[in-house]
Amino acid sequence: MSPRITKPHEIVERALELSTADGCVVVADEQSSANLRWAGNALTTNGVTRGRTLTVIATVDGAEGTASGVVSRSAVTAEELEPLVRAAEAAARGAGPAEDAQPLVTGVPASPDFTDAPAETSSAVFTDFAPALGEAFARARAGGRELYGFANHELTSTYLGTSTGLRLRHDQPSGTLELNAKSPDRARSAWAGRSTRDFKDVDPGALDAELAERLGWAERRIELPAGRYETLLPPTAVADLLIYQLWSSAARDAAEGRTVFSRPGGGTRVGESLSPLPLTLRSDPHEPGLECAPFVIAHSSGDDASVFDNGLPLAPTRWMSDGKLERLVTTRHSAGLTGLPVAPAADNLILDAGGERSLAEMVAATERGLLLTCLWYIREVDPATLLLTGLTRDGVYLVERGEVVGAVNNFRFNESPVDLLGRASEAGRTEKTLPREWGDWFTRAAMPALRVPDFNMSSVSQGV
């Protein structure tokens, strides 16, 4: 990049200057990450990376409507900037009218830090965490268990500029910690994960103690057949299921009769009760500890996002309230098609039912049932019911008369999160959690544990 054009906001401004399209949106993502990895109670690797991605969205007006062209590239140099802009314009001129075309957003006050340098992470984010991890290694070694896992911290500064005058910027920290404990013979395994903004609120020692307890539970092995069991889903498993539900809640798909949120005979299920529990499912860009971008950042268009909505302010949104479906995900275009309010998705998700019990207290109140650790390899079977299948992983435990009495085999499950919400009999205390399956894409979640009287373990799995 030319020494005269190196800062992200300068790149955005220059791309907008170069544009000859009727409209232009430029999104510059400046990314930095730091990570630690360990195996067998010892650090193995660490590193820091930097990167830049530039997305140019050109819009061209025509007699039949407005077309859009989107081109994204990484590590764009000064010489490549104009060709990138021209490529987006050529894509727009070669495309037919965009179905989701809307006037570009206007009137949003500029971010006061738009011209500031991007935020960056570094290995310093682990200053307090790394020594605590070393102490956890020592305790694990003394206790006859081995710790594996990784810690990753990312900081992305997003600069968004448009030909209609928007100049917005957001800094997003995202941290994840995944810790896996194994017995020396590898026959027993347990997992725990946490999400964090800065690694100041995660305690590897506490996680190791939790995993040591679970490995102790697994010293007794019990074989169970497939079937329906009363099951306690921990917050991480609930997050994986409800994140997929959010991803499947586009209003247009529902209005066209293609999803679980479609009403038989036409329309959507907005307004229907989905659960007898007072469940509130919501997103809020300003939720403490789960803060995310307060405006739309769309690098491409789809059923639940539109590049024309870039910069649109995001408000707190209740997807469910007291068990009733309140909102489906809409762009400005799909809101017009469906007659529903404009409700873009934000990058966090919170489920709350006012429960006060911890997962341990819910275990103590269980006569007989299963306690899960997490889910993985989740795949959709039927969009009309949102039936999902997947596997349990890293520990399924049998609870009898309020105590864990041993570990059982893993299972394949077949369940719909929407159906589960309707059958859940108890929700515990909401807490921040890291989804195991979707943690690479979605880290900002707060969920309670759920008690499901008849969770469908459809077959036995041989995985650990």
Side-chain angles (χ1 to χ4, degrees), residues 434-450:
L434 176 67
R436 177 76 184 272
E437 175 79 339
W438 310 126
D440 288 343
W441 299 276
F442 200 115
T443 63
R444 284 167 282 282
M447 300 281 152
L450 289 181

Side-chain angles (χ1 to χ4, degrees), residues 236-306:
T236 176
V238 176
D240 273 321
L241 294 172
L242 291 190
I243 288 167
Y244 202 96
Q245 177 178 306
L246 178 67
W247 288 343
S248 305
S249 61
R252 179 174 182 176
D253 291 342
E256 293 178 351
R258 293 186 277 129
T259 77
V260 68
F261 298 112
S262 304
R263 177 175 293 156
T268 72
R269 296 175 63 186
V270 169
E272 287 188 18
S273 177
L274 300 182
S275 176
L277 297 178
L279 297 175
T280 295
L281 183 67
R282 59 188 179 87
S283 297
D284 183 351
H286 303 291
E287 181 73 12
L290 301 174
E291 295 91 343
C292 60
F295 53 87
V296 171
I297 302 171
H299 296 85
S300 61
S301 288
D303 290 335
D304 58 357
S306 171

Side-chain angles (χ1 to χ4, degrees), residues 333-367:
H333 171 67
S334 64
L337 289 177
T338 60
L340 296 174
V342 177
D347 197 19
N348 64 21
L349 193 62
I350 304 103
L351 180 68
D352 189 16
E356 297 181 354
R357 280 181 173 177
S358 66
L359 182 57
E361 290 170 330
M362 293 174 69
V363 168
T366 301
E367 180 62 24

Side-chain angles (χ1 to χ4, degrees), residues 403-426:
E403 293 186 358
V404 176
V405 297
V408 306
N409 42 273
N410 279 293
F411 296 96
R412 173 171 292 280
F413 70 88
N414 283 293
E415 284 286 4
S416 163
V418 177
D419 196 36
L420 283 178
L421 295 180
R423 289 159 33 221
S425 58
E426 181 185 3

Side-chain angles (χ1 to χ4, degrees), residues 67-239:
S68 63
V70 182
V71 178
S72 293
R73 291 178 185 164
S74 59
V76 178
T77 66
E79 293 72 23
E80 295 168 330
L81 188 55
E82 184 168 2
L84 173 60
V85 174
R86 299 291 170 252
E89 293 171 348
R93 293 190 174 101
E99 187 183 17
D100 61 326
Q102 296 283 312
L104 295 183
V105 176
T106 61
V108 182
S111 300
D113 57 352
F114 184 75
T115 60
D116 291 352
E120 292 187 350
T121 190
S122 70
S123 56
V125 75
F126 301 124
T127 297
D128 296 327
F129 172 80
L133 181 63
E135 294 172 4
F137 289 160
R139 285 192 294 271
R141 194 176 300 111
R145 58 189 176 275
E146 297 178 353
L147 297 182
Y148 297 77
F150 62 92
N152 187 65
H153 189 255
E154 297 180 357
L155 241 176
T156 300
S157 292
T158 297
Y159 297 76
L160 189 155
T162 72
S163 56
T164 53
L166 268 56
R167 298 295 186 272
L168 303 176
R169 182 253 182 89
H170 176 71
D171 295 334
Q172 185 64 68
S174 302
T176 59
L177 166 62
E178 296 201 41
L179 192 63
N180 192 283
K182 297 182 183 296
S183 59
D185 61 0
R186 305 293 195 278
R188 292 171 287 140
S189 177
W191 175 90
R194 296 290 186 272
S195 64
T196 178
R197 288 174 64 85
D198 53 18
F199 278 86
K200 294 179 180 178
D201 58 349
V202 291
D203 183 353
L207 264 66
D208 173 58
E210 176 185 325
L211 297 177
E213 180 181 43
R214 289 176 176 262
L215 288 182
W217 292 343
E219 289 179 352
R220 182 188 178 198
R221 179 81 176 182
I222 304 163
E223 298 297 324
L224 289 180
R228 290 186 175 271
Y229 293 90
E230 178 167 309
T231 301
L232 295 175
L233 299 173
T236 176
V238 176

Side-chain angles (χ1 to χ4, degrees), residues 301-330:
S301 288
D303 290 335
D304 58 357
S306 171
V307 294
F308 292 91
D309 288 348
N310 269 299
L312 191 70
L314 295 174
T317 302
R318 290 195 173 198
W319 309 107
M320 290 176 57
S321 183
D322 291 327
K324 183 176 71 173
L325 183 63
E326 292 279 352
R327 292 282 188 275
L328 293 171
V329 177
T330 56

